Every structure is written in structure tokens, then in C-alpha cells.
Amino acid sequence: MSTQKVAAGISDREAEVLTLIGQHRSNAEIGAQLYISVRTVETHVSSLLRKVGVPDRRALAQRAAELTRAERSEAVAVLPAPLTSFVGRARERAELRQAVAVQRHVTALGPGGVGKTRLALAVAADLAGEFADGAWFVDLVPVTDPAMTGSAVARALGLGEQQGRSLDDSVLTALTDRHTLLVLDNCEHLREGAAPFIERLLAHCPRVTVLATSRARLMVPFEQVYAVPPLSLGDDAATADAIALFLDRAAALGWPVEPEQLDQVTEVCQRLDGLALPIELAAARLPTLGLDGLTASLADPLRLLVGGRRADDRHRSVRAMLDWSQALLTNSDRCVLRRVSVFVAPFTAADAAEVAGYPPLEPNSVADGLARLAEQSLLTAAPSAGGTRYRALETIRQYETEQLLETGELPEVLARHLHWCSKTAAALTGDLPPATDWRTRFDAAVDDIRAALAWAAEQSELRSDAYDLALSLAQLTFTRNLVGESQQRYEQAAALAEDPIDAASALRHAAEVAGCRMRGADMYRLYRGAADTARNAGDTAAAARDLATAAITVYRMSETFAEPPPSNAAAALLSEARELTDDDPAALAAVALAECGVLPHTADSAPSASELPVPEPITRAERAVDLASRTGDPLAESAALDALAAAQCWAGDTFATAATTQRRVELLAAVPVTPASALERVNALAEASDTSIGVGDLDGARRWAEQLRDLPLLAERGDFATSRRLVADALAGNADNVLTDSRRFIDAWELSGRLHAPNLATAAAAVALIHGLRGDGDARAEWLAIVDNLGVAPDQKAAYSAVFDAIVLLHHGQPDRALASLSADPDEMDEQIIWIWRHWYLALRAEAAVLAAHPNARDYVTTARTAVSGNPIATAMVDRATALLDHAPERLPAIAIAFETAHCPYQRARTLSLMGDNSAPAALTSLGLTPPTR
């Protein structure tokens, strides 16, 4: 894309980002592809929004696609670039194009080597311009597990996994309103996965069209089959597509065919039944055999193998051609081709040497063999960031795998391939945290690692190797943010483990990943499974820890259960855990933590509050923290501190809650990234930001919020990732930051299918607050509608809605209405609803009462002053209200400085406005806000 034609001032890097936005890539995917951070991507996106002059990312993506189409005068198509020209097939191309234009699912059907993929690619390129969101190609050849069909589509589309959703669901949601042509190539070996995926895709995405290629029908409702015929032969060499293909490939090799030789070419093409792959392989032999030698070589042996040229036997022509091609190779090259057929994805010469380079081959001879095989079209070669990569067409790969079986080499080659995959996985694991090129290396190897694991898992003698590889793949996929697969691989490792202690450990890791996916039911199931496995192995202390953890999961992850366990299930697990602790420190700590959640929900468990010097929940939580700290496990201590913060919150002690959450964040700062620590860190940072807002520490709230935003686990959850910073910046009055983050928020929420997520409603309300301060009533109304669409109950938003409404109303000089919005008594609100908003609520109520000249204004001020002591922002607001009540404007300059010191520029500017200071309008405008109306 020419940057000059896009908009003035766009840099080359911004142009790259814009192109990828036009392909609907997420910020995480753009960052990974360009080797820049998500935060840097966000900065580029913000800059592009200004330069291109559009309001949001969706419009930017549309504009990018329009600019790309306008400049290139061709359709937007994310399709592989063929290495050779497309020849002939005008009739078939038109017929298939017409079928795809009128049907939502067309399968191009035919035997291997007939040319299905090339025809599908040509048709997709023709039709890309008819689809607003272009055409996308999905190569299913490297996929060995039918259940991962959706994952392959997600990878091709640049989609990541979102918390609480599978990759299949993410694909369906992302494509819901897209007008897209999806080319699924080589479906036949994945029919059990491809068929149901396509059926769900077409049902959920009414504007998506699927063009599949397969050797067998997929048997999906409404599937229209287009049988791809061989290339035309005919009587006239000038119009025969088969002959045109041969001539084209011969010319590309520097061997043009003379007119008088056309009869020989016709005979060759007829003997090969017009099948594209055999014709290309035959043409590749011209430099060594010449046309006379080629004609002679294909005569009797091939006719015998083909047994006639009936359509039903066309696959025989391909096999015969491959038999013939094999016969013309040297023994060494034949051996190389057989052995490299175990690679399911493109591979380098070094990779091939490790797998194929054993007697009778020398490792250093493999590279030369690859080059010769590429020259003869038996392998394709293409440049990549890591060097030239080779690949066999699927038809050839399947044939060569059969040859390995016939020669008895298959077990040895697969074992060497497994060893290479294990070594590669170990190297990738050793590079964690990821190096710059880690993701590229992982993506290049992962399909082969999956294939090797699938084979090894079926070999009883390789069970230990399969277990090790499953564990490695689980860790690697978690790092790659493929958390659904990570959980699957940990569960697979548990099933492969020979030692039940190892099995229980793998189940625990699977449970931790399930937690990161917001799958509480899975987390509960897996911890119970780990407990059963550990108990059967005689490890009662570990069983006690797992049972207690399963019990506390019911409460810590309650919002992530589709259907929570029976009410007495957690209590029963806790009872079992107590019996098994055996004075193990970690088990005792886990049980103490479970008691913090379970006992308050058990009717007859709690003594009266008067029997304890502090409320009982705090006593339990402090005991849990003490026991956890003795274990030396920061994650156990973090979980216990979470329970303590919750108890302090219920007790109404906002400052203690904030101190505990900050202590928790600091404890986790140096903990290595694992599934367990990732989940703890997300929770801790979110709560630390929340509680910092509650005590008036906007600088701390923003600091924790930015750390939350940048967590890799939240790369695809831009709504949750930005939610805390939106609130902190809105209260501070940083409008530009809010508007930027709100775009990422809304994009991610829409990508999730606009799911109900009440925990995000505060952030949406904060965006509405900023639009209110900007005087944009329409935008404010839109964001308040989003608050409702997030599924929050009216009573759950009572506190923050009142606070945000009051700020807007006071800004626009309507203190009476502001006071009315704050009429509810905060002492009568549920503590979990009012908790971080109590100080803001009371301080704003005092100010509104003063400005509205309410008769009880001084009482409101007095009540607020006592309650907000220690909160710098709320205290300054009460001081300002007091100064206004006392008609003492000389105090206001010092109060303005107090707001500046507390990192609250909006309230500083508002103070200047109340003072009548001439600099107030400029101060508000610099924040992106409008001066107040009167």
C-alpha cells in the first residue's frame, strides 16, 4: 500500500499496521507479526484514526480495505501466491465461479492430482472483489486432528482465543457479520471435524460462503458438489488445456516444444488422462529425458498400470505416474523423498537432514537431494524468514508414506521425526519467555509436533515420550495464547502418564489453564480428578490440597460456572480435605483458604460476631494468609490475600482492602508466568486498580490498570484489558486516553458477540462519563446503552452510576439534579456495590448539597469529612465544598494544587472554574473536555 495515497504523514510502519487492520487482525496478532508490543500497536492505531479521519477501528478497517482495493485495482484476497501460472480451465473456472456465486457451500471434488486446489484459488481470486471482507485461504493439509479444523481457520484469519470461548466460537463470532469467501483446502482427512464446523459456520454466519476442496463429499446440508474434471484433451492441440499445461511448464524449464512435436505431447497427455499433477511431473523430466525419451518411458508400463482411461480409475493414473517418477530417481533421492514425507508442514534442509539423514543416506547429502527433487516438481521450495522451506504436495506425501510402509522404514522415520519434534519443542520451551522470533519458530513447528504426538500416543512403547511431548506442547500453546489447546494437552499428558503422581500434576495444570479460560466447571472437574488420582496413589496431602482447591473454586470462580455445583458440594469437599490434611503445611493452607469461602455459606458454621475481636471472615482470612506464607508458595499466599481483601471489603474497610491488594500485586511481581500465576495476576491487578480508585490513588489505579492491559493472557480480551484504565482515566479527566481505549474496548466486546459481562459495565459507564464532560449527549447515550447491554442489574450499578451522573451534572451546573442522583443512603447499600465508590459518593453529595443550597448541606459536609479521611481526592472535594459553603474562595487555589498532587487534573480544572479563574477553560480543553455550562 502506498503511504502517499492513504493519507498525508502516515509512516511506513503505520501503513503496515493499517494493512493488517484491513485484514481484521487483532492488536495482538499485528504486534506478533510486526514484532512490536500491543501497546505500540495501540499507539499506531490511535495515530491512524486521526490521520485517516475515521471515528473507530471498524471504520478504519473498512477504509483500509477500500484504499487497498483502490490502489491495487484488485480484490482483497488473503490467498497463497502460486509458484507457477494457472493454465486453461476457462469453462471449469466459469462454472465453479457461478456455483460459488449462488451457493453458500460448494465442494470442489476430485481425485488427488486433478488440480482442485489451483482451480479453487483461481476462482477465489476472481470472486474476492464480490465479498466486502475478501477471500481467505485455509490450508488443512498440516492439520492431523479433525477437532482442530476451527483452530486452523482461526490461525488463517489471525484470530486469537478469547477467555471463556473456544477458538471455534471465536471464529463464528468474528465472521458473524462479515461478507467473506472462505477456501478450505484438502478437507478429506478431516471430514469428522470439517463437516460439523462448516455446518455451524454457515448457520451462524449468514454472509460467509465456503469453497472446499476434497476427495470425498463432506455430507454437509446444502453442500453443492462440483466434480473437477481432468484437463481437456480434445482433438485440437491448440485448444486442449492438458497440452497447454505441458507446453507452459516445458517453456518454464527452458525446453520449448516444436510444432512438429505436438503429436507426441498429445500422446503423453492422453496417457496421463489429462490429470494436472502427472502432466507437471512429466514435463519436469524433459531436461533429462527429452520428449522422445519421455514418450518411450510412458508407453507400455503406464498403460498396463492405468488399465484403460475410465473416469472411475483416474486415481490409478496418478499412482502410475508416481511409480514412474520414483523409478527415474536415484536410490538416494528416492530415499530422501520417502523420508521427508513424514513432515506435515514446510521444512528446512536442516530439519530434513535430522530426520532423513541416516544410513544409507549421509546427513550432508540430504540438502542436495531436496534441490534435485524440487527441480523435478516432486517438492515445492519457497523462501521464508528462516531460509528455504520445502514441501511435498499432499498427493505425493501420501504416496511416499505408503512407500515407507512397503519398505519397512515407516516406524524408524516416524521415530526420528518424533525425536526432532521433541528436540524442537524443548528448544522452544528453553526460550521462554519468548525471544523475538519465538512465535515464528513455534508456528513453523507446531503442526509437526501435533502430528508426532498423535502418532506416539498410539505406540505403547513410546508412551513416556508422548507424555513428555504433550507436557511441552501444553506449555508452548499456553505461551502462544492457545489456552484451549493447552488445557487439552495437559489432560492428554495426564492420560499418558505412567506415574499417577505425574498424572495428578498434569490435571492440576489443566485446571489452572481452565481458570485462565474462565471455565469454572472445568477447573472444578479437573481439581477433583487430580484429587482422586493423588489419593489412589497414596498422596493424601496432595489430595487434600486438590479437594480444598476444588471447594474454593466454587466461590472464587463462581461467575464462570454455567451451572454451579450443588449447594452442599463445596462443604462436602472441604470435609474430605480436612480428613486428609495429615498436618501437611500446604494442605492446611489450602483448607484454611477453602474455609474462607465455604463456611460463610454454611448456615450453622459461624459463631456470633461478639465472640471475636474482629469480624470472623477477617479472622479466617488472616489465618489463611499466615498458613500460606509458611509454605513459601507466593501463589497460595496471593489466593489467601484475595480472601482477606474480600473480608476487609465486606467489613467496609476500604483502606485495608487497598493495602492488601497492593501487597498481593507486589508479591506476584517476581513470580514466573505460568497458568496459575497468570490467573492470579489478572485478578490481583484488577482488584488493585479498583481499590486504588476507592482510596483516591488514581496514579496507582492507572499504574496497575496499565499492567493489566499489557498482560499476554488478555491480548484477545481488549474489553477487560482496558476496563480498569478507562475508569481511572475517566475520573482523572484524561479524555484522549479514554477515547483511545474505548475503541479497543468496543472492538473486543463486539468480537466476543456482545456477550453479557456485568463486570465490564463500570468501564462503559466511565466512557459515557467522558462523553458527558465533552458535551456529546448522543455518544453518552450510546455508551449508557452499552452499559445496559452488558447485562448489569440496576442495583449493581447504583453506586457508580450515581457518581458518574453527579460528576456530569455538576460539570454542567445542575447541582439539584446531581443531589437527586445521590439521594440513596450509602449505608443502606450492599457493601460490594458501594465499596470503592463510598468516598466519591459522599464527597460529591456534599458538594452538590452546597451548590444547591440544600438546608442540610453542612450535615452532608460533616458526614463526608469523617468518612473520607485519608483519601486525597475525596478530602480535597470536601474541602472545596466547605470553602464554598463558608464563602471562602481564598482557600480554593490550595485545593486546586491538592488535586494536581493527587493526579486528578479534571478536579483541578473544575476548581479553577469554580474560582472564576480565566485559565479554567484552557485547562479543560487541554484534557479534551468542554468548559462547563451554566
Side-chain angles (χ1 to χ4, degrees):
M1 182 182 297
S2 170
T3 57
Q4 290 82 0
K5 292 186 178 182
V6 175
I10 286 184
S11 67
D12 290 342
R13 176 47 59 86
E14 286 173 340
E16 291 176 319
V17 172
L18 182 58
T19 299
L20 294 172
I21 290 172
Q23 296 173 8
H24 298 280
R25 302 296 182 98
S26 70
N27 284 354
E29 295 290 335
I30 294 172
Q33 182 161 337
L34 300 181
Y35 301 109
I36 56 179
S37 70
V38 172
R39 189 171 182 179
T40 301
V41 176
E42 291 173 353
T43 301
H44 288 314
V45 172
S46 299
S47 174
L48 286 166
L49 289 167
R50 292 193 301 273
K51 292 178 180 179
V52 178
V54 293
D56 53 39
R57 187 190 182 98
R58 183 180 293 272
L60 187 63
Q62 181 178 354
R63 183 67 178 138
E66 291 171 355
L67 289 165
T68 304
R69 278 196 291 269
E71 182 167 328
R72 297 186 310 186
S73 300
E74 61 185 37
V76 174
V78 185
L79 305 171
L83 300 177
T84 54
S85 59
F86 184 80
V87 176
R89 289 206 183 273
R91 178 178 59 81
E92 296 95 322
R93 191 169 181 171
E95 290 174 350
L96 183 56
R97 185 168 58 237
Q98 176 62 24
V100 174
V102 299
Q103 298 291 331
R104 292 193 58 218
H105 174 206
V106 178
T107 298
L109 193 71
V114 77
K116 302 183 295 295
T117 298
R118 291 302 303 275
L119 178 60
L121 283 172
V123 168
D126 291 343
L127 289 174
E130 305 299 320
F131 293 83
D133 294 300
W136 297 73
F137 180 84
V138 183
D139 182 10
L140 295 177
V141 170
V143 183
T144 54
D145 182 353
M148 297 196 70
T149 303
S151 297
V153 176
R155 180 170 162 183
L157 294 175
L159 297 174
E161 186 171 347
Q162 299 174 337
Q163 282 183 319
R165 302 174 69 84
S166 67
L167 268 175
D168 283 17
D169 289 338
S170 295
V171 171
L172 298 181
T173 302
L175 295 179
T176 295
D177 60 353
R178 288 199 202 175
H179 187 209
T180 299
L181 173 62
L182 206 58
V183 182
L184 304 182
D185 190 42
N186 282 283
C187 295
E188 60 274 351
H189 65 300
L190 301 173
R191 288 172 65 191
E192 293 180 3
F197 175 80
I198 292 173
E199 187 170 354
R200 288 186 64 203
L201 179 70
L202 296 177
H204 286 80
C205 307
R207 304 182 68 211
V208 170
T209 295
V210 172
L211 171 57
T213 72
S214 179
R215 300 184 187 189
R217 289 191 59 180
L218 301 180
M219 307 304 289
V220 177
F222 312 115
E223 175 186 29
Q224 177 170 329
V225 170
Y226 179 80
V228 179
L231 293 164
S232 62
L233 292 164
D235 298 326
D236 183 359
T239 60
D241 288 343
I243 296 170
L245 177 64
F246 187 97
L247 296 178
D248 180 86
R249 300 303 187 252
L253 291 169
W255 287 81
V257 175
E258 300 298 329
E260 60 270 18
Q261 296 176 307
L262 284 180
D263 287 345
Q264 289 178 288
V265 173
T266 300
E267 183 180 358
V268 168
C269 292
Q270 287 174 341
R271 292 187 182 283
L272 297 176
D273 285 332
L275 293 175
L277 175 60
I279 289 172
E280 295 205 35
L281 293 177
R285 282 293 179 175
L286 274 178
T288 54
L289 295 178
L291 192 54
D292 289 339
L294 182 62
T295 305
S297 297
L298 288 175
D300 293 335
L302 184 58
R303 186 178 300 279
L304 178 63
L305 287 166
V306 172
R309 284 183 286 276
R310 299 187 307 276
D312 291 344
D313 291 331
R314 284 184 189 124
H315 63 281
R316 288 186 178 179
S317 297
V318 177
R319 179 171 295 279
M321 187 65 201
L322 293 174
D323 284 340
W324 174 79
S325 296
Q326 284 270 330
L328 296 177
L329 294 175
T330 65
N331 288 337
S332 175
D333 288 354
R334 192 180 306 141
C335 188
V336 170
L337 185 58
R338 283 198 308 270
R339 292 176 178 181
V340 298
S341 69
V342 296
F343 286 100
V344 299
F347 54 89
T348 66
D351 301 333
E354 287 197 45
V355 173
Y358 66 96
L361 293 177
E362 291 294 331
N364 56 11
S365 70
V366 172
D368 291 339
L370 295 175
R372 287 189 294 270
L373 292 168
E375 289 172 359
Q376 296 161 33
S377 297
L378 291 165
L379 294 177
T380 61
S384 74
T388 300
R389 287 189 173 273
Y390 297 88
R391 185 177 192 176
L393 294 176
E394 180 63 5
T395 300
I396 295 174
R397 198 178 74 81
Q398 291 177 357
Y399 173 88
E400 296 301 333
T401 301
E402 293 176 3
Q403 298 301 303
L404 282 175
L405 191 60
E406 290 182 9
T407 61
E409 295 173 275
L410 186 59
E412 173 67 14
V413 178
L414 287 173
R416 292 180 67 89
H417 180 252
L418 171 63
H419 176 75
W420 175 82
C421 289
S422 298
K423 178 182 174 182
T424 301
L428 288 166
T429 303
D431 281 348
L432 299 178
T436 302
D437 65 341
W438 184 90
R439 173 175 164 161
T440 301
R441 290 161 49 213
F442 170 85
D443 286 351
V446 66
D447 286 318
D448 276 291
I449 294 173
R450 289 167 178 151
L453 175 56
W455 173 73
E458 298 297 323
Q459 315 302 315
S460 58
E461 70 277 12
L462 296 175
R463 189 181 184 92
S464 177
D465 294 314
Y467 163 78
D468 290 338
L469 189 55
L471 276 183
S472 293
L473 187 54
Q475 184 177 358
L476 294 171
T477 49
F478 181 82
T479 303
R480 181 61 173 81
N481 239 10
L482 299 172
V483 288
E485 183 177 358
S486 179
Q487 178 183 329
Q488 173 194 344
R489 298 305 178 187
Y490 276 124
E491 292 193 54
Q492 184 179 18
L496 290 167
E498 296 176 343
D499 185 340
I501 301 298
D502 291 336
S505 175
L507 288 172
R508 285 183 206 105
H509 288 309
E512 293 159 2
V513 177
C516 293
R517 300 178 66 208
M518 298 292 112
R519 300 293 183 95
D522 275 1
M523 196 176 185
Y524 177 78
R525 168 183 62 83
L526 290 162
Y527 273 122
R528 292 197 64 177
D532 291 341
T533 304
R535 182 158 41 188
N536 291 337
D539 192 349
T540 56
R545 295 196 301 272
D546 295 330
L547 289 168
T549 307
I552 197 60
T553 295
V554 175
Y555 300 103
R556 288 194 83 196
M557 303 290 291
S558 59
E559 294 182 354
T560 68
F561 280 81
E563 293 185 9
S567 57
N568 61 346
L573 292 176
L574 176 58
S575 178
E576 285 185 68
R578 283 170 168 163
E579 294 175 1
L580 297 173
T581 53
D582 197 25
D583 293 330
D584 177 78
L588 290 170
V591 167
L593 176 60
E595 289 173 344
C596 294
V598 176
L599 294 185
H601 293 82
T602 305
D604 58 354
S605 64
S608 65
S610 62
E611 297 180 49
L612 294 171
V614 292
E616 185 176 9
I618 293 180
T619 300
R620 289 197 192 102
E622 288 176 339
R623 177 173 178 269
V625 171
D626 178 58
L627 290 171
S629 65
R630 297 181 193 178
T631 68
D633 180 358
L635 298 182
E637 188 173 353
S638 171
L641 287 170
D642 185 32
L644 177 59
Q648 292 165 334
C649 170
W650 295 330
D653 192 341
T654 307
F655 290 102
T657 306
T660 299
T661 55
Q662 182 168 335
R663 175 181 166 190
R664 188 178 170 209
V665 168
E666 292 169 351
L667 175 70
L668 293 170
V671 176
V673 177
T674 64
S677 69
L679 179 59
E680 281 294 319
R681 189 170 278 116
V682 167
N683 180 265
L685 287 170
E687 291 189 1
S689 185
D690 288 342
T691 56
S692 293
I693 286 171
V695 298
D697 180 11
L698 289 185
D699 188 50
R702 196 169 187 276
R703 183 168 62 254
W704 306 134
E706 288 180 344
Q707 291 184 30
L708 179 73
R709 179 200 59 187
D710 295 336
L711 290 178
L713 186 61
L714 300 180
E716 301 296 333
R717 280 299 311 274
D719 45 5
F720 185 85
T722 59
S723 59
R724 269 57 183 186
R725 196 172 91 142
L726 281 169
V727 176
D729 274 330
L731 290 170
N734 297 321
D736 288 343
N737 290 341
V738 171
L739 296 178
T740 298
D741 282 349
S742 70
R743 296 179 188 116
R744 182 180 174 192
F745 179 98
I746 195 65
D747 286 343
W749 181 58
E750 290 182 345
L751 189 62
S752 73
R754 294 174 166 255
L755 290 177
H756 281 191
N759 62 322
L760 300 179
T762 310
V767 180
L769 163 62
I770 285 296
H771 285 297
L773 296 178
R774 287 168 57 83
D776 190 341
D778 291 341
R780 182 169 187 248
E782 289 177 6
W783 278 92
L784 290 176
I786 291 172
V787 172
D788 293 334
N789 289 334
L790 284 163
V792 62
D795 61 323
Q796 296 294 315
K797 64 177 181 177
Y800 63 78
S801 288
V803 167
F804 294 166
D805 286 347
I807 292 174
V808 173
L809 291 167
L810 287 171
H811 181 81
H812 292 294
Q814 302 178 59
D816 291 318
R817 292 183 60 193
L819 185 59
S821 73
L822 299 163
S823 60
D825 185 349
D827 290 336
E828 295 180 1
M829 292 184 185
D830 187 303
E831 194 59 48
Q832 294 184 69
I833 294 173
I834 191 63
W835 69 305
I836 68 171
W837 301 108
R838 181 181 294 276
H839 295 172
W840 293 87
Y841 191 102
L842 292 171
L844 286 165
R845 186 175 69 169
E847 180 174 321
V850 169
L851 292 173
H854 192 277
N856 296 330
R858 194 165 294 278
D859 292 338
Y860 284 136
V861 168
T862 300
T863 299
R865 182 170 299 284
T866 301
V868 306
S869 177
N871 181 322
I873 295 175
T875 296
M877 291 169 70
V878 174
D879 287 343
R880 184 173 63 195
T882 304
L884 295 172
L885 182 63
D886 293 343
H887 304 288
E890 68 277 4
R891 302 180 200 163
L892 293 179
I895 294 171
I897 294 173
F899 282 122
E900 185 174 5
T901 302
H903 303 281
C904 191
Y906 168 70
Q907 292 297 342
R908 172 188 174 273
R910 174 163 169 74
T911 305
L912 296 177
S913 180
L914 290 170
M915 290 166 50
D917 192 297
N918 292 334
S919 66
L924 287 167
T925 302
S926 69
L927 294 173
L929 306 176
T930 59
T933 57
R934 295 292 182 222

